[in-house]
Amino acid sequence: MRRVTTNSPFETRIGYSRAVACDGWIFVAGTTGYDYATMEMPQDVVQQCRNALATIDGALAELGASLRDVVRVSYILPDPDDWPACWPVTRAAFGDAPPAATMMSARLQAPEMRIEIEVTARQPSGR
């Protein structure tokens, strides 16, 4: 089993890994839109979506995978009306390998968080 961490202070405070690889599967924790280089959260939901997907892609890359290997994605947004603005970003991120997906509306940990994304991926064979 391999674990990936990022610079998120939440991982240490709460006690979780950004991603865990086990038996050919990769489980990426719910990821919000922080820019972990600056620890700032953009106000725009679209930028938060981009940041979350970039963090997820980085965690997958550390484990030899990419967004093309994602088989399941869950999107959580406090305001479902924000969701359509994110569609072009998610479509571009997953391209011609779209995973099974669910969007849920629920309150997130902090009011500035407008989207959280969680994925499950399959590691490519031989890696």
Side-chain angles (χ1 to χ4, degrees), residues 19-86:
V20 176
C22 182
D23 295 331
W25 291 100
I26 302 171
F27 304 94
V28 181
T31 304
T32 60
Y34 278 103
D35 176 340
Y36 288 110
T38 64
M39 276 314 294
E40 292 179 3
M41 177 69 79
Q43 290 184 5
D44 178 51
V45 70
V46 173
Q47 189 57 49
Q48 286 189 28
C49 184
R50 281 190 192 103
N51 287 357
L53 288 166
T55 300
I56 290 166
D57 195 37
L60 290 169
E62 284 194 48
L63 296 167
S66 73
L67 292 173
R68 292 190 52 77
D69 301 304
V70 172
V71 296
R72 180 88 173 122
V73 60
S74 295
Y75 304 99
I76 307 162
L77 294 94
D79 183 351
D81 292 336
D82 282 345
W83 179 222
C86 296

Side-chain angles (χ1 to χ4, degrees), residues 63-120:
L63 296 167
S66 73
L67 292 173
R68 292 190 52 77
D69 301 304
V70 172
V71 296
R72 180 88 173 122
V73 60
S74 295
Y75 304 99
I76 307 162
L77 294 94
D79 183 351
D81 292 336
D82 282 345
W83 179 222
C86 296
W87 295 353
V89 176
T90 60
R91 185 174 49 248
F94 293 110
D96 63 353
T102 300
M103 191 287 285
M104 299 169 267
S105 182
R107 197 171 99 188
L108 298 178
Q109 184 170 301
E112 67 270 15
M113 296 175 177
R114 297 180 62 191
I115 188 167
E116 183 168 327
I117 304 171
E118 175 184 85
V119 306
T120 302

